[in-house]
Amino acid sequence: MRLLHGLLVAFAVASCTAPPADTPPAAELILTGAEIITMDSARPDAQAVAIRDGRIVGVGSAREMDAYRGPETVVRDLGGAVLAPGFIDAHGHLLNTGMLAVSANLMPPPDGGVGDIPHLQAVLEAYARGVPDAALVLGFGYDDSQLAEQRHPTRQELDAVVPDRPVAVLHQSGHLAVVNTALLKQLGWDATTPDPAGGVIRREADGYPNGVLEEAAVFRGLAPLAARTGLAETLAMLREGQALLVSYGFTTVQEGRAMPGQTGALIAAAEQGLLEVDVAVYPDIMAASQDIAAPWLSRTYRKHLRVAGAKLSLDGSPQGKTAWLTEPYFRAPAGLPADYRGYPAYSDAQVQAAVGRAYEQGWQLLVHVNGDAAIDQLIAAVRSARERFGAADRRTVAIHAQTVREDQLDAFKALGIMPSFYSMHTFYWGDWHRDSVLGPARAARISPAQSAIDRGMHFTSHHDAPVVMPNPARMLSSMVTRRTRSGEVLGPEQRITPYAALRAITLDAAYQYFEEAEKGSISVGKLADLVLLSDNPLTMAPDTLASDLKVLETIKAGRTIYRAPAR
């Protein structure tokens, strides 16, 4: 019986990786002459792949793929380049990624050039001159941790360059913003305006807002302005965001917190045939739950779009010091007590109700949790919901999970919670976390991917664009090397292998979406979602990943949707 079972397994594996004995239907396209990283344990590498009707029909050697040649078959020799599964965006914001193209770039290097407040002012002033009719002058990506002054700009510093129009500059985390006096007056905010629940309006000595807004105050202040954005403008942002993500090799992307109106705009884009990649949408369960509904709520895509579940955000940003921790920040923000730990977005009762609703409805839930206190709140809510509604395979995702403790990872595994780590924090904010946010011990184990591997857990890694550029080379480098901007290795025991890192943005990312049968590996029967790379990330020197690994071509369902310009 064991022998028979072994023969059947061997036959099944062989039938999935090589053509059958009789002549198979001809492929439309054969890609050959490549070094192929399949991410398929049954056949980890190959040299050619055959594609028909947007799907992979054969994987193997060039000689094996000859069986799929027909008179109309196009055969492309890739000249020894590296072919891998298309990258899958485990968490990002498609629409806001497009905002990068329509706002002043205030990011520090390597994604921008702003290093101090005078430079920020100069970039903002030049941008404002170029958009004289804009009702709002918008900047994105400043980072107080990377500014020479080590602080946020003030409303007066924005007034100095744009005094007569509303201005908002968004922090790189997306969880804070600075607005000028003209915008405060437009909002009607003054010393008597209370802080909104789950947010803070920072103040001057007399109580008047100093321009810096945190969390719910950002959304309260800017939501009315966002609501004025028309469909044409939203679709223009979508095109820009999609083009950027495609240029980085992503074939499945995410709108990771769709607010009111945004799901409708994405549906309009799908109906107009504007989507070239698959887009999974997660409407905010607190603000836009009406959009989590059929027919778009589905495990399958219609015109490259589906509502995949719901998003819930429980705290803020560690680099902005608004994430909710169980232990105090290493250095409290100016004006706050030494025992400051951040704060929650919602009460325990509100979180219990939201998670319970998602579990009762069968919605997959993505939950933003950066601080370990927020993670405790999530664990308690999931435990309660499972007791009430059962332990089905829901694949609840803990987005970011930056400060997750070892005991919390044990709870994740027991409760079926899958972490999606923001691994690029080790590079972008690792030094800041060590020296100011968390201190050396806690900072050393942010995004603890190896701890997840030790437990046999699925996990993913994400870029969270537009917070940083959606660069998979930087994502891989951050997981493999954990080098900070200063070059220090932050928590060497949490470094993982290049293969595990690549799996986190391919096969395990497909698993996160319940799409592992369709995507994530170069396997017979799956979609021909592919990326052509300049080098092999599994064998190149780890310290060269971020600088040298480039995307040459992106292929969605067998069709090239991006090709890098010739050098």
Side-chain angles (χ1 to χ4, degrees):
M1 182 62 71
R2 288 183 179 176
L3 177 59
L4 177 59
H5 175 74
L7 290 171
L8 289 172
V9 170
F11 175 78
V13 169
S15 66
C16 289
T17 57
D22 55 339
T23 303
E28 297 165 357
L29 174 66
I30 294 176
L31 301 175
T32 189
E35 182 180 0
I36 300 178
I37 305 170
T38 68
M39 302 304 294
D40 183 344
S41 59
R43 186 156 198 168
D45 51 50
Q47 296 75 46
V49 57
I51 299 166
R52 183 175 63 250
D53 296 328
R55 292 189 176 271
I56 297 166
V57 294
V59 181
S61 67
R63 182 174 181 179
E64 288 172 318
M65 294 306 100
D66 279 343
Y68 294 94
R69 290 196 189 210
E72 305 296 325
T73 301
V74 174
V75 180
R76 278 189 61 193
D77 190 326
L78 299 179
V82 178
L83 194 67
F87 300 131
I88 296 174
D89 172 11
H91 181 63
H93 305 274
L94 171 60
L95 291 173
N96 285 343
T97 298
M99 183 179 65
L100 292 172
V102 296
S103 60
N105 183 355
L106 306 179
M107 290 183 172
D111 298 333
V114 172
D116 56 35
I117 289 174
H119 192 183
L120 180 151
Q121 291 175 303
V123 172
L124 192 64
E125 184 177 26
Y127 174 80
R129 286 198 305 268
V131 289
D133 299 325
L136 173 70
V137 177
L138 182 66
F140 179 81
Y142 86 90
D143 182 358
D144 58 306
S145 76
Q146 299 303 312
L147 294 175
E149 296 83 356
Q150 292 283 283
R151 64 171 176 83
H152 300 272
T154 65
R155 65 181 175 91
Q156 291 89 349
E157 287 165 333
L158 302 187
D159 293 344
V161 292
V162 188
D164 55 347
R165 283 189 287 166
V167 175
V169 296
L170 291 173
H171 190 267
Q172 192 171 3
S173 68
H175 288 260
L176 299 96
V178 185
V179 300
N180 71 344
T181 305
L183 183 49
L184 287 170
K185 289 180 177 178
Q186 186 179 97
L187 292 169
W189 289 9
D190 57 24
T192 66
T193 305
D195 289 349
V200 173
I201 302 170
R202 294 192 187 179
R203 316 266 176 176
E204 295 166 356
D206 62 358
Y208 194 85
N210 71 2
V212 180
L213 310 178
E214 297 180 8
E215 300 300 335
V218 177
F219 306 122
R220 180 76 60 83
L222 301 186
L225 302 173
R228 299 175 196 167
T229 304
L231 179 60
E233 295 171 290
T234 302
L235 294 183
M237 287 174 56
L238 183 148
R239 289 189 186 93
E240 294 288 348
Q242 179 175 244
L244 182 64
L245 288 157
V246 165
S247 74
Y248 280 111
F250 287 93
T251 52
T252 298
V253 306
Q254 184 182 113
E255 178 46 63
R257 189 186 185 187
M259 301 305 282
Q262 291 186 324
T263 300
L266 288 164
I267 290 171
E271 296 286 14
Q272 293 178 35
L274 301 180
L275 301 182
E276 293 188 301
V277 294
D278 290 339
V279 180
V281 187
Y282 291 84
D284 186 285
I285 195 170
M286 297 299 202
S289 62
Q290 69 277 2
D291 293 328
I292 312 170
W296 295 95
L297 176 63
S298 176
R299 289 279 173 85
T300 59
Y301 293 89
R302 301 176 61 200
K303 301 180 180 180
H304 290 302
L305 183 73
R306 71 182 178 101
V307 173
K311 175 68 179 295
L312 175 63
S313 295
L314 299 191
D315 72 340
S317 156
Q319 70 269 37
K321 298 188 179 179
T322 58
W324 186 25
L325 304 173
T326 58
E327 298 295 329
Y329 278 87
F330 190 61
R331 293 181 180 168
L336 292 176
D339 64 352
Y340 170 77
R341 293 172 169 82
Y343 49 88
Y346 300 107
S347 68
D348 289 347
Q350 289 174 305
V351 174
Q352 294 268 350
V355 173
R357 183 183 182 193
Y359 272 54
E360 182 178 24
Q361 296 294 326
W363 299 339
Q364 187 189 25
L365 192 59
L366 268 58
V367 188
H368 169 116
V369 282
N370 266 312
D372 62 331
I375 295 170
D376 280 338
Q377 190 180 50
L378 168 64
I379 289 169
V382 167
R383 185 174 286 122
S384 174
R386 280 168 58 101
E387 289 172 356
R388 286 182 287 161
F389 303 112
D393 181 12
R394 292 183 173 87
R395 300 186 195 178
T396 298
V397 184
I399 296 294
H400 307 324
Q402 292 271 23
T403 60
V404 64
R405 305 186 306 262
E406 294 290 315
D407 64 295
Q408 290 175 326
L409 284 173
D410 291 336
F412 278 9
K413 185 170 183 180
L415 295 171
I417 300 172
M418 182 177 180
S420 182
F421 295 124
Y422 200 168
S423 304
M424 282 198 284
H425 263 251
T426 55
F427 171 75
Y428 281 97
W429 292 285
D431 296 318
W432 179 242
H433 287 325
R434 181 195 62 227
D435 299 337
S436 185
V437 178
L438 299 171
R442 284 183 292 174
R445 61 175 317 281
I446 59 169
S447 298
Q450 186 58 51
S451 290
I453 290 173
D454 291 343
R455 288 167 171 79
M457 297 172 66
H458 291 282
F459 70 91
T460 61
S461 180
H462 58 265
H463 51 71
D464 201 24
V467 176
V468 298
M469 296 297 281
N471 185 347
R474 178 70 68 187
M475 295 170 71
L476 294 171
S477 173
S478 295
M479 288 184 274
V480 172
T481 72
R482 291 181 65 93
R483 288 201 181 276
T484 69
R485 290 177 190 262
S486 68
E488 179 180 329
V489 175
L490 189 69
E493 67 280 358
Q494 293 296 341
R495 290 179 295 190
I496 62 176
T497 67
Y499 186 87
L502 186 58
R503 183 181 173 104
I505 61 174
T506 56
L507 195 56
D508 274 346
Y511 177 87
Q512 176 184 301
Y513 282 113
F514 292 89
E515 296 179 27
E516 67 271 23
E518 289 280 294
K519 300 173 182 175
S521 66
I522 300 178
S523 307
V524 169
K526 292 192 177 184
L527 288 168
D529 290 358
L530 309 167
V531 60
L532 194 64
L533 301 172
S534 61
D535 208 333
N536 188 333
L538 304 185
T539 58
M540 61 192 298
D543 282 332
T544 67
L545 277 165
S547 58
D548 294 354
L549 184 64
K550 307 297 181 187
V551 170
L552 305 179
E553 186 173 342
T554 306
I555 299 169
K556 173 63 182 169
R559 183 176 71 88
T560 296
I561 57 174
Y562 169 79
R563 186 172 282 121
R567 296 182 182 180

